Amino acid sequence: MLDGRGLIRRRAGARLWLSGLWLALFVLAAVLAPLISPQDPLAQDLMLERLPPAWMAGSEPGYWLGTDSLGRDVLTRIIYGAQVALAVALVAGLATCLIGSALGLVAGFYRGWADRIISRIVDIWMAFPPVLFAILLIAVLGTGLSSVILAIVIIDWTRFCRVVRAETLNQSKMDYVHSAKVAGFTRLRTLLSEILPNVLPTIVALLTLEMGIAIIVEAILSFVNLSISTDQSTWGGMIAEGRTSIHQAWWVLVFPLIALFFTVLSFAQFGEGLRERFDPVLR
Amino acid sequence: MADTIFQVSDLRVDVPDMTRKPLFGAAPRLEILKGVSFDIARGTVLGIVGGSGSGKTTLGRTLVRLVEPSAGRLLFDGQDITHLSDADMRALRPRIQMIFQDPMSSLNPRLTVGRTIAAPLGAGAGDPRVKAALEQVGLPAAFARRYPHELSGGQRQRVGIARAIAMRPDFILADEIVSGLDVSSQAQVLMLLEQLVVELGLTLVFISHDLSVIRRLCSRVIVLRSGEIVEDAATADLFERPQHAYTRELLDAIPIPDPSVRW
Ligand SMILES: Nc1ncnc2c1ncn2[C@@H]1O[C@H](COP(=O)(O)OP(=O)(O)OP(=O)(O)O)[C@@H](O)[C@H]1O
Ligand SMILES: [Mg+2]
């Protein structure tokens, strides 16, 4: 067929492999942080403050990406920061996805009072500006990793709920749903074995997007010092510190930003790549 | 009567007419079927014709209980199914099957053909009944691994037929099943259907607005106009001695395939 599927597949291949490679590095760095880090993430040494990256004049061996204003190794702190980012992406992403998608499927398929209640709650939720909402929640829940994750789930489940509900509604109008009834399927079986496979590509795309968003939200909260205690290294915290010394030591700001940027981008691209690779309708 | 599979008496379907709903209070009812009565004899092919919007699809979907009647009585094999609950209806589902007009929408796009046919049987895609059903509709067994978008329109419609007959039903409803196909696949699908009806001893209701197709396939025809039956006759009688002006109008609208032949 002359429909460019070959082209899509080749692009999808590159997309999937490049983003997958970065995410694999990210996960490995987080899991193996104590083994692969060149330095101790918290070791301060005023003799070593603001060392430039290894390829610049005045660098010290072993400090590949330089040090910050307290003499802590930037590469090591980025690697440890990946732990927090990974935990947030996985736990907050999956929990948000499960809760939002389940409610969206129920609302879109069963309609009636369940839909009215769920849609009303979503409407109310959407009226809050998300960043303010997050800061408010942290104020109530207290700082710390689990509060950050909880706040993300509480705020962002509506993103899944809205999209999944709309898609479920669309799918429920298709004749294959009537056909399932003629085949004698129960409503629940129709939802799980007929409709869910058709909504799943949307859910996966949203999930990978959400994982990136969760990392950004954590970084923003770290940036305004509402996330995790300051001795734990987080990308957002590093960016906040780096901002103050941008003229003396740009590398403290730039390298965590690059790590954040590529990780968030890779999550989104990975989701898109998975869809193009594994969705039978696009393949 | 033992050889009557469906008995329909004074069947009515109405829906709330949202276009005329007042600001407060209930919407007026829009009558789609205004009391239709007829029987379907076992092992026969009944045609339902009528103009667009006459209620053919609604009537068909009421027979298979995708639409709930608002009044009247519907007997299947002597059992009253007019208001049978979904749960009780499930026991009868395998015996009452349907082939849909649009096979693109009625086949799940993300399930393989094999799974689509096997799932209602409670079997896996490798079940021998899947292969048998595919062969009966003239498709190679390897098609079980394909997805609907990898098939042609005619092949898709054959899969729709295979799914229906795999259940070994007594009754099949076919609603405009060839109207989306080109002329040559239409002829093939119709030939297949004709042959299956005989082979499997099926009772078939065939909905179409194409009278030449009805003439070929059906032994009896019901003519529907705005939710009412205007004529109910054996096919030969209907074509030779149409009783109702509306039927004559429909007959006159058939394009004559060969200009030298006159009706
Ligand atoms: N859910 C509904 N709500 C309101 N009106 C409906 C609904 N379903 C059908 N109708 C109306 O009922 C009438 C009969 O519809 P139906 O689909 O049964 O016609 P049909 O004979 O199958 O037409 P066609 O040949 O175009 O398929 C139409 O006027 C249609 O607009
Ligand atoms: Mg119709």
Side-chain angles (χ1 to χ4, degrees), chain B residues 118-171:
Chain B
L121 303 169
D127 194 276
R129 282 173 291 176
V130 173
K131 192 170 165 235
L134 283 173
E135 270 165 11
Q136 270 182 308
V137 299
L139 292 177
F143 273 40
R145 283 193 302 277
R146 292 209 185 180
Y147 287 92
H149 72 264
E150 298 168 329
L151 305 176
S152 74
Q155 289 167 341
R156 259 177 233 146
Q157 202 48 289
R158 282 166 193 262
V159 172
I161 298 173
R163 169 173 58 183
I165 62 169
M167 305 277 278
R168 300 255 152 257
D170 299 324
F171 173 83

Side-chain angles (χ1 to χ4, degrees), chain A residues 20-41:
Chain A
L21 193 69
W22 178 268
L23 291 179
L25 274 175
F26 166 64
V27 172
L28 276 179
V31 173
L32 302 177
L35 297 177
I36 57 174
S37 296
Q39 309 293 335
D40 179 334

Side-chain angles (χ1 to χ4, degrees), chain B residues 41-87:
Chain B
R42 193 185 299 279
T44 60
V45 180
L46 171 70
I48 300 180
V49 294
S52 185
S54 56
K56 305 181 295 293
T57 296
T58 308
L59 176 55
R61 292 195 175 207
T62 312
L63 289 180
V64 301
R65 279 299 315 276
L66 283 176
V67 171
E68 169 112 25
S70 32
R73 232 153 73 98
L74 183 61
L75 300 190
F76 173 74
D77 218 1
Q79 184 183 353
D80 190 337
I81 62 166
T82 322
H83 300 292
L84 214 58
S85 70
D86 279 359

